[in-house]
Amino acid sequence: MRFQSQAQVALAALPTALGITPELMLAANRYGVAAPNPSGDFAIYTVSNYTFETKAHASQWNKLDLKTGEISLWYDGSDISEVVFVGPTPTSIIYINGTNAENDGGISLYSADANSLGDAQLIASLPAPYSGLKAVQVPSGDIHFLVYTKAYPNGTAYNEQTASTAASTARIYTSTYVRHWDTWLNQEKNAVFGGVLKGGNGSYSFSGELTNYVTGICNVTCAESPYDQSDESDYDISPDGNSVVFLTKDTSLPLANYTADVIYTVPFNGTSKDVKAINARGTTKYLDAEGAATSPRFSPSGKHIAYFQMNGIAYESDRNILYVANADSEDFNVTALAHDWDRSPDTMAWSKDSETIFVSAPDLGRERIFPVPLTAGDSYVPKNITNEGVPSGFYVLPDNSVLVSDSKIWTSRDIFTVSPEGDLIKTYFQANLVDPGLKGLKPEDVSEFYYSSNSSEIKQQAWIIYPEGFDESKTYPLAFITHGGPQGAHFNSWSTRWNFKVWADQGYVVIAPNPTASSGWGQNLTDAIQGHWGSYPYWDLVHVWDYVNENLKYVDTENGIEAGASFGGYMTNWIQGHELGRRFKALVTHDGSTSTLNQYASEELWFMNHDFAGPFNQTGFVPGSPYYEWNPLLYVDNWATPHFVVHNSMDFRLPVSEGILLFNMLQTKGVPSKLLNFPDENHWVLNQENSLVWHTEIFKWINYYSGISNASSPY
């Protein structure tokens, strides 16, 4: 199926592009989510970019008039980091300036009218790097607000810039979970703080007193909210300003082994001693609901608190179920909405009348928005109101239409409104029609197909992305990109890390499959990966390759390459040792697993315990155990395809030794290979200059072996 453009006339007026290069993609504008003011008259959003010539970042805020569609500059600069609409008028705001007068690592709070920023008033300087601002105005005219930052065990805010430095750098641990993502963990943990801005009419004062609601809740571990690498989506404040809700990991369980969360409520004027658990294990009628929870949100009426929760107590990719708690009930009377719906929603927004919750969920390679009424029973199946793309965020406007900021493979940002019934109301912005570096990108660059595999009765999907100037009568080498997770998917979304169109415009037809473990085709397909890392998804990928070879005559499979990151990197290493590996001219592994047993050097032990059907000391590293059966090193004797290896030093999820091990084994066997390492990057490559090197080196490698390049060497 080829996609049809929604703006054929506008696209026709654009000059023909030669294709999008890594430089163009990395230098292009990056857009924040359009956040509307309370009356729905306008929205504001951030725009940032990077210039390679000057090595400079630039940032600004734009204002979108939701009545006329006009877009104008609202603020030029990066000083304003967060804005909340709150106060006596629909244009009243308070905002965070990322620095304070003392320049000591703290922040400043300002109040202003959004239409006259020049008259902003400094409210206070806060002596720590608080962020995640949420605020409501109470009847007195005061503003109750929430922020978060790291806190010492005694509950006071931690500021790394002003904290005393120990004479020794030693770290000592007596339990697992010593580091996470790219950070060694210590005694300072995130906590939600609440404060009051006294006054009204846009003029406020602050006593400096902040209440910590989190620190001090301890059992086996101590509470943290937002949890570790999370953000303000982990907490909320009630519309009347009298209650706070937040989530934390279940403190009765070891952090490394379980995903369980507990959601607490606490009076705004209370402390961590006054918390009440909404969903503690075994306290609701849904006894299976023991897993990770996300996104607690008060309804506009303040009567309900919605949240998502999984069942699996040690499974990060179980199906999210939407729950609603009665905020006024002593036992919260938790009820599930659309309990049996075979999708896993992950983002929500309440309707203004508090009768419907709009959720987004992975669905057939997209992330679609679905309205779910409070009356939805267990068997209710929500209907999507958006189709293509993946929302970065969305807001419900006063008329209950939904303001969506999303992206697609062919555009880094679309902003539009859609009705609760799914009718497109107005498209305000499409980056591919505006940004010079993206001009020429269009829906017709992308299509999809479904294929059958012996691993599943479920038809599986793959994306096709065409190069610039694609001609079906010609042939183009195959770029076969395997996704990570493994529970995840290739979505119809823009990426600055694995941008399919950038790869295609090197001269490839990109095939991006969604095999076993992919999300959005029902939980059974996602769950089927357990214990089958090297079988089901591998078989699926073989079937994808076969389908392409037999049906897409414009794809040159003889000169194809394969690449993947994370689990996709693991699968690349697995492919290297199997028959499929001989069908590619070159392979690329980014931060993948080389030895399955080494996965226990990771931080989240629940991940391998689940996916490999138990801890390694129970299943054993013996034939029949997933740790043994799916180890790529078992097939090292078969390694032969030229292999490019990327592994970053700050990746604690898949430690850098995995990449070095892979490279050393390839070199020892005499397989053409190359290692790229970034000492300052984690699982991802985020710095634009580093990313340009990443693209340049990988493309030099694959273009040589696929025959696209006439270079005399891939080195």
Side-chain angles (χ1 to χ4, degrees), residues 613-649:
F616 81 94
N617 60 315
Q618 292 180 11
T619 64
F621 194 65
V622 295
S625 161
Y627 291 93
Y628 181 90
E629 294 293 338
W630 311 131
N631 192 338
L633 293 183
L634 289 178
Y635 302 92
V636 68
D637 288 345
N638 299 332
W639 292 7
T641 303
H643 203 142
F644 191 97
V645 182
V646 185
H647 218 111
N648 300 328
S649 297

XYZ file of all heavy atoms in Angstrom, residues 613-649:
302
model
N 13.099 -16.705 30.393
C 12.284 -17.677 31.134
C 12.867 -18.046 32.490
O 12.732 -19.177 32.954
C 12.064 -18.925 30.294
N 13.513 -17.076 33.150
C 14.005 -17.311 34.496
C 15.428 -16.823 34.678
O 16.146 -16.592 33.700
N 15.865 -16.650 35.925
C 17.263 -16.284 36.189
C 18.203 -17.361 35.684
O 17.858 -18.546 35.653
C 17.315 -16.171 37.721
C 15.898 -16.040 38.159
C 15.074 -16.770 37.159
N 19.421 -16.972 35.305
C 20.348 -17.933 34.710
C 20.697 -19.062 35.684
O 20.967 -20.190 35.277
C 21.619 -17.229 34.231
C 22.622 -16.952 35.320
C 23.650 -17.842 35.583
C 22.530 -15.810 36.101
C 24.573 -17.591 36.585
C 23.443 -15.551 37.107
C 24.466 -16.442 37.355
N 20.668 -18.775 37.004
C 21.028 -19.823 37.967
C 19.909 -20.852 38.120
O 20.121 -21.923 38.674
C 21.366 -19.213 39.329
C 20.211 -18.427 39.920
O 19.572 -17.659 39.220
N 19.950 -18.609 41.205
N 18.713 -20.543 37.614
C 17.622 -21.516 37.622
C 17.551 -22.291 36.311
O 17.349 -23.501 36.297
C 16.292 -20.814 37.878
C 16.158 -20.235 39.281
C 14.815 -19.553 39.491
O 13.903 -19.672 38.676
N 14.699 -18.822 40.597
N 17.702 -21.575 35.197
C 17.606 -22.248 33.898
C 18.920 -22.920 33.525
O 18.936 -23.879 32.751
C 17.231 -21.255 32.795
O 18.280 -20.285 32.662
C 15.937 -20.528 33.129
N 20.038 -22.383 34.053
C 21.344 -22.964 33.770
C 21.893 -22.522 32.429
O 21.149 -22.174 31.504
N 23.205 -22.511 32.328
C 23.847 -22.199 31.053
C 24.231 -23.520 30.390
O 25.396 -23.866 30.224
C 25.070 -21.304 31.286
C 25.587 -20.667 30.032
C 24.819 -19.750 29.335
C 26.839 -20.990 29.538
C 25.283 -19.154 28.165
C 27.322 -20.410 28.369
C 26.539 -19.484 27.688
N 23.192 -24.265 30.050
C 23.360 -25.617 29.509
C 22.428 -25.769 28.314
O 21.474 -25.001 28.157
C 23.023 -26.687 30.573
C 24.009 -26.634 31.732
C 21.592 -26.505 31.085
N 22.682 -26.750 27.433
C 21.771 -26.967 26.310
C 20.319 -27.080 26.774
O 20.016 -27.763 27.755
C 22.281 -28.283 25.706
C 23.742 -28.290 26.030
C 23.840 -27.668 27.404
N 19.441 -26.376 26.069
C 18.034 -26.315 26.443
C 17.670 -25.034 27.150
O 16.518 -24.600 27.119
N 18.638 -24.396 27.803
C 18.396 -23.113 28.463
C 18.454 -21.995 27.425
O 19.343 -21.994 26.563
C 19.465 -22.859 29.528
O 19.525 -21.481 29.856
N 17.529 -21.032 27.472
C 17.600 -19.911 26.519
C 18.932 -19.172 26.570
O 19.403 -18.677 25.537
C 16.445 -19.008 26.956
C 15.473 -19.932 27.615
C 16.322 -20.947 28.319
N 19.536 -19.078 27.768
C 20.833 -18.407 27.866
C 21.873 -19.121 27.007
O 22.766 -18.484 26.446
C 21.312 -18.365 29.315
C 20.508 -17.464 30.219
C 19.439 -17.962 30.956
C 20.819 -16.116 30.341
C 18.698 -17.149 31.784
C 20.080 -15.283 31.173
C 19.019 -15.804 31.894
O 18.287 -14.985 32.713
N 21.764 -20.418 26.923
C 22.708 -21.205 26.127
C 22.294 -21.248 24.662
O 23.099 -20.964 23.766
C 22.798 -22.628 26.692
C 23.765 -23.519 25.941
C 25.095 -23.591 26.322
C 23.336 -24.279 24.844
C 25.990 -24.408 25.622
C 24.219 -25.090 24.144
C 25.545 -25.143 24.537
O 26.428 -25.931 23.850
N 21.032 -21.605 24.415
C 20.580 -21.869 23.053
C 20.690 -20.645 22.147
O 20.950 -20.775 20.952
C 19.127 -22.361 23.064
C 18.936 -23.711 23.729
C 19.585 -24.843 22.949
O 19.819 -24.686 21.738
O 19.870 -25.895 23.561
N 20.477 -19.455 22.718
C 20.402 -18.252 21.867
C 21.650 -17.386 21.984
O 21.616 -16.202 21.732
C 19.147 -17.454 22.202
C 17.894 -18.279 22.244
C 16.954 -18.292 23.205
C 17.446 -19.212 21.251
N 15.944 -19.167 22.913
C 16.229 -19.756 21.707
C 17.954 -19.656 20.024
C 15.514 -20.708 20.981
C 17.242 -20.608 19.302
C 16.042 -21.123 19.782
N 22.755 -18.002 22.348
C 24.015 -17.270 22.466
C 24.689 -17.189 21.094
O 25.054 -18.223 20.516
C 24.945 -17.977 23.453
C 26.141 -17.118 23.827
O 26.523 -16.201 23.105
N 26.745 -17.412 24.965
N 24.870 -15.982 20.533
C 25.507 -15.864 19.211
C 26.894 -16.497 19.150
O 27.325 -16.928 18.065
C 25.584 -14.350 18.991
C 24.456 -13.795 19.801
C 24.400 -14.662 21.029
N 27.591 -16.572 20.285
C 28.946 -17.100 20.261
C 28.992 -18.591 19.933
O 30.047 -19.117 19.561
C 29.641 -16.849 21.601
C 29.929 -15.378 21.939
C 30.685 -15.270 23.248
C 30.709 -14.700 20.820
N 27.863 -19.293 20.045
C 27.833 -20.711 19.676
C 28.128 -20.906 18.190
O 28.547 -21.982 17.769
C 26.469 -21.317 20.001
C 26.105 -21.519 21.480
C 24.696 -22.084 21.588
C 27.103 -22.442 22.161
N 27.901 -19.854 17.416
C 28.006 -19.979 15.968
C 29.132 -19.120 15.398
O 29.120 -18.759 14.226
C 26.659 -19.610 15.319
C 25.540 -20.483 15.826
C 24.771 -20.091 16.925
C 25.280 -21.720 15.244
C 23.769 -20.917 17.420
C 24.280 -22.551 15.730
C 23.526 -22.143 16.821
O 22.540 -22.960 17.303
N 30.118 -18.824 16.242
C 31.208 -17.955 15.814
C 31.994 -18.569 14.660
O 32.566 -17.836 13.830
C 32.130 -17.630 17.018
C 32.887 -18.870 17.472
C 33.081 -16.495 16.693
N 32.014 -19.866 14.559
C 32.748 -20.505 13.465
C 32.172 -20.146 12.097
O 32.866 -20.253 11.077
C 32.743 -22.031 13.624
C 33.643 -22.502 14.760
O 34.466 -21.699 15.228
O 33.505 -23.670 15.178
N 30.904 -19.719 12.079
C 30.251 -19.390 10.805
C 30.428 -17.923 10.415
O 30.032 -17.533 9.321
C 28.753 -19.696 10.880
C 28.461 -21.152 11.154
O 29.254 -22.023 10.808
N 27.324 -21.429 11.793
N 30.969 -17.112 11.301
C 31.052 -15.675 11.024
C 31.924 -15.420 9.803
O 33.065 -15.902 9.725
C 31.623 -14.929 12.223
C 30.711 -14.929 13.431
C 29.549 -15.608 13.590
C 30.918 -14.201 14.638
N 29.004 -15.353 14.831
C 29.831 -14.488 15.499
C 31.911 -13.336 15.095
C 29.713 -13.941 16.774
C 31.794 -12.784 16.362
C 30.707 -13.085 17.189
N 31.393 -14.644 8.859
C 32.151 -14.394 7.633
C 31.828 -13.052 6.979
O 32.643 -12.533 6.222
C 31.895 -15.519 6.625
N 30.655 -12.503 7.240
C 30.224 -11.281 6.562
C 30.886 -10.052 7.172
O 30.919 -9.923 8.400
C 28.689 -11.151 6.648
O 28.090 -12.319 6.076
C 28.201 -9.916 5.920
N 31.425 -9.125 6.362
C 32.024 -7.893 6.898
C 31.079 -7.206 7.878
O 29.877 -7.057 7.598
C 32.257 -7.058 5.643
C 32.484 -8.066 4.564
C 31.553 -9.198 4.896
N 31.615 -6.778 9.024
C 30.772 -6.398 10.159
C 31.281 -5.103 10.793
O 32.430 -5.028 11.225
C 30.797 -7.534 11.191
C 29.624 -7.578 12.107
N 29.047 -8.758 12.513
C 28.916 -6.600 12.725
C 28.035 -8.500 13.334
N 27.948 -7.187 13.481
N 30.414 -4.108 10.843
C 30.727 -2.828 11.488
C 30.109 -2.836 12.889
O 28.926 -3.145 13.041
C 30.150 -1.671 10.673
C 30.623 -0.311 11.103
C 31.669 0.311 10.455
C 30.013 0.359 12.163
C 32.110 1.572 10.836
C 30.444 1.609 12.564
C 31.502 2.222 11.899
N 30.909 -2.486 13.896
C 30.467 -2.557 15.291
C 30.506 -1.154 15.912
O 31.529 -0.465 15.840
C 31.376 -3.498 16.109
C 30.875 -3.595 17.556
C 31.448 -4.874 15.460
N 29.382 -0.754 16.505
C 29.322 0.482 17.290
C 28.990 0.098 18.725
O 28.059 -0.684 18.957
C 28.231 1.448 16.778
C 28.283 2.765 17.551
C 28.368 1.685 15.286
N 29.747 0.620 19.675
C 29.352 0.431 21.072
C 29.852 1.612 21.901
O 31.017 1.994 21.804
C 29.871 -0.884 21.646
C 28.877 -1.526 22.555
N 28.207 -2.694 22.256
C 28.397 -1.142 23.761
C 27.371 -2.997 23.234
N 27.468 -2.068 24.171
N 28.952 2.155 22.709
C 29.223 3.379 23.464
C 29.579 3.083 24.912
O 28.987 2.195 25.541
C 28.010 4.307 23.402
C 27.659 4.699 21.985
O 28.537 4.811 21.136
N 26.378 4.899 21.724
N 30.504 3.851 25.443
C 31.033 3.565 26.781
C 30.032 3.829 27.895
O 30.104 3.213 28.956
C 32.298 4.407 27.032
O 33.313 4.045 26.121
